[in-house]
Short mmCIF file of all heavy atoms in Angstrom, two decimals:
data_model
loop_
_atom_site.label_atom_id
_atom_site.label_comp_id
_atom_site.label_asym_id
_atom_site.label_seq_id
_atom_site.Cartn_x
_atom_site.Cartn_y
_atom_site.Cartn_z
N ILE X 116 -76.06 -50.14 -23.12
CA ILE X 116 -76.29 -48.78 -22.60
C ILE X 116 -75.68 -47.76 -23.56
O ILE X 116 -74.51 -47.90 -23.98
CB ILE X 116 -75.65 -48.63 -21.19
CG1 ILE X 116 -76.36 -49.57 -20.21
CG2 ILE X 116 -75.70 -47.19 -20.71
CD1 ILE X 116 -75.67 -49.68 -18.86
N SER X 117 -76.44 -46.74 -23.92
CA SER X 117 -75.94 -45.68 -24.81
C SER X 117 -75.28 -44.58 -23.98
O SER X 117 -75.69 -44.33 -22.84
CB SER X 117 -77.08 -45.08 -25.62
OG SER X 117 -77.73 -46.11 -26.34
N ILE X 118 -74.27 -43.93 -24.58
CA ILE X 118 -73.53 -42.89 -23.83
C ILE X 118 -73.50 -41.59 -24.62
O ILE X 118 -73.07 -41.55 -25.77
CB ILE X 118 -72.07 -43.35 -23.56
CG1 ILE X 118 -72.07 -44.71 -22.84
CG2 ILE X 118 -71.32 -42.31 -22.75
CD1 ILE X 118 -70.68 -45.34 -22.72
N GLY X 119 -73.93 -40.52 -23.96
CA GLY X 119 -73.81 -39.19 -24.54
C GLY X 119 -72.65 -38.47 -23.88
O GLY X 119 -72.40 -38.65 -22.68
N TYR X 120 -71.89 -37.66 -24.64
CA TYR X 120 -70.77 -36.91 -24.05
C TYR X 120 -70.69 -35.53 -24.69
O TYR X 120 -71.60 -35.17 -25.47
CB TYR X 120 -69.46 -37.72 -24.15
CG TYR X 120 -68.85 -37.88 -25.53
CD1 TYR X 120 -67.47 -37.82 -25.69
CD2 TYR X 120 -69.62 -38.12 -26.66
CE1 TYR X 120 -66.89 -37.99 -26.94
CE2 TYR X 120 -69.05 -38.30 -27.91
CZ TYR X 120 -67.68 -38.22 -28.04
OH TYR X 120 -67.11 -38.39 -29.27
N THR X 121 -69.67 -34.74 -24.38
CA THR X 121 -69.71 -33.32 -24.76
C THR X 121 -68.45 -32.84 -25.50
O THR X 121 -67.80 -31.88 -25.07
CB THR X 121 -69.90 -32.42 -23.52
OG1 THR X 121 -68.70 -32.50 -22.72
CG2 THR X 121 -71.08 -32.82 -22.66
N PRO X 122 -68.07 -33.48 -26.61
CA PRO X 122 -66.87 -33.02 -27.30
C PRO X 122 -67.07 -31.66 -27.96
O PRO X 122 -68.20 -31.26 -28.24
CB PRO X 122 -66.64 -34.10 -28.36
CG PRO X 122 -68.00 -34.66 -28.62
CD PRO X 122 -68.75 -34.58 -27.33
N GLY X 123 -65.95 -30.97 -28.22
CA GLY X 123 -66.00 -29.75 -29.03
C GLY X 123 -66.31 -28.49 -28.25
O GLY X 123 -65.55 -27.52 -28.33
N VAL X 124 -67.37 -28.50 -27.46
CA VAL X 124 -67.82 -27.24 -26.85
C VAL X 124 -66.86 -26.73 -25.77
O VAL X 124 -66.94 -25.57 -25.36
CB VAL X 124 -69.25 -27.35 -26.28
CG1 VAL X 124 -70.26 -27.53 -27.40
CG2 VAL X 124 -69.38 -28.49 -25.28
N LEU X 125 -65.97 -27.59 -25.28
CA LEU X 125 -65.02 -27.12 -24.25
C LEU X 125 -63.62 -26.92 -24.80
O LEU X 125 -62.71 -26.57 -24.07
CB LEU X 125 -65.01 -28.08 -23.04
CG LEU X 125 -65.10 -29.59 -23.26
CD1 LEU X 125 -64.13 -30.10 -24.23
CD2 LEU X 125 -65.07 -30.32 -21.97
N THR X 126 -63.47 -27.14 -26.10
CA THR X 126 -62.12 -27.08 -26.68
C THR X 126 -61.44 -25.73 -26.41
O THR X 126 -60.29 -25.69 -25.95
CB THR X 126 -62.20 -27.32 -28.21
OG1 THR X 126 -62.79 -28.60 -28.40
CG2 THR X 126 -60.84 -27.29 -28.86
N ASN X 127 -62.13 -24.63 -26.68
CA ASN X 127 -61.50 -23.31 -26.49
C ASN X 127 -61.13 -23.08 -25.03
O ASN X 127 -60.05 -22.58 -24.71
CB ASN X 127 -62.43 -22.19 -26.96
CG ASN X 127 -62.45 -22.11 -28.48
OD1 ASN X 127 -61.46 -22.41 -29.14
ND2 ASN X 127 -63.58 -21.71 -29.04
N GLY X 128 -62.06 -23.43 -24.14
CA GLY X 128 -61.81 -23.22 -22.71
C GLY X 128 -60.59 -23.99 -22.24
O GLY X 128 -59.73 -23.46 -21.52
N VAL X 129 -60.48 -25.24 -22.65
CA VAL X 129 -59.35 -26.07 -22.20
C VAL X 129 -58.05 -25.58 -22.85
O VAL X 129 -57.00 -25.55 -22.21
CB VAL X 129 -59.59 -27.56 -22.50
CG1 VAL X 129 -58.43 -28.41 -21.98
CG2 VAL X 129 -60.89 -28.04 -21.91
N ALA X 130 -58.15 -25.17 -24.12
CA ALA X 130 -56.94 -24.68 -24.80
C ALA X 130 -56.44 -23.38 -24.14
O ALA X 130 -55.24 -23.21 -23.94
CB ALA X 130 -57.23 -24.44 -26.28
N ASP X 131 -57.37 -22.49 -23.78
CA ASP X 131 -56.96 -21.25 -23.07
C ASP X 131 -56.21 -21.62 -21.79
O ASP X 131 -55.14 -21.09 -21.48
CB ASP X 131 -58.18 -20.42 -22.67
CG ASP X 131 -58.89 -19.77 -23.85
OD1 ASP X 131 -58.35 -19.82 -24.97
OD2 ASP X 131 -59.99 -19.20 -23.64
N LEU X 132 -56.81 -22.56 -21.05
CA LEU X 132 -56.22 -22.94 -19.77
C LEU X 132 -54.87 -23.63 -19.98
O LEU X 132 -53.94 -23.41 -19.19
CB LEU X 132 -57.21 -23.86 -19.03
CG LEU X 132 -57.05 -24.14 -17.54
CD1 LEU X 132 -56.03 -25.24 -17.25
CD2 LEU X 132 -56.71 -22.90 -16.73
N GLY X 133 -54.78 -24.42 -21.05
CA GLY X 133 -53.52 -25.10 -21.34
C GLY X 133 -52.40 -24.09 -21.55
O GLY X 133 -51.29 -24.25 -21.05
N VAL X 134 -52.71 -23.02 -22.27
CA VAL X 134 -51.70 -21.98 -22.51
C VAL X 134 -51.39 -21.23 -21.20
O VAL X 134 -50.23 -20.95 -20.89
CB VAL X 134 -52.17 -21.00 -23.61
CG1 VAL X 134 -51.20 -19.83 -23.76
CG2 VAL X 134 -52.31 -21.74 -24.94
N ALA X 135 -52.44 -20.97 -20.42
CA ALA X 135 -52.23 -20.30 -19.13
C ALA X 135 -51.32 -21.16 -18.23
O ALA X 135 -50.40 -20.64 -17.59
CB ALA X 135 -53.57 -20.06 -18.43
N LEU X 136 -51.55 -22.45 -18.23
CA LEU X 136 -50.75 -23.36 -17.40
C LEU X 136 -49.31 -23.41 -17.91
O LEU X 136 -48.36 -23.42 -17.11
CB LEU X 136 -51.40 -24.76 -17.41
CG LEU X 136 -50.72 -25.86 -16.62
CD1 LEU X 136 -50.56 -25.49 -15.14
CD2 LEU X 136 -51.52 -27.16 -16.72
#
Side-chain angles (χ1 to χ4, degrees):
I116 295 170
S117 303
I118 305 172
Y120 71 141
T121 68
V124 293
L125 39 51
T126 301
N127 284 329
V129 182
D131 290 351
L132 195 278
V134 174
L136 179 57

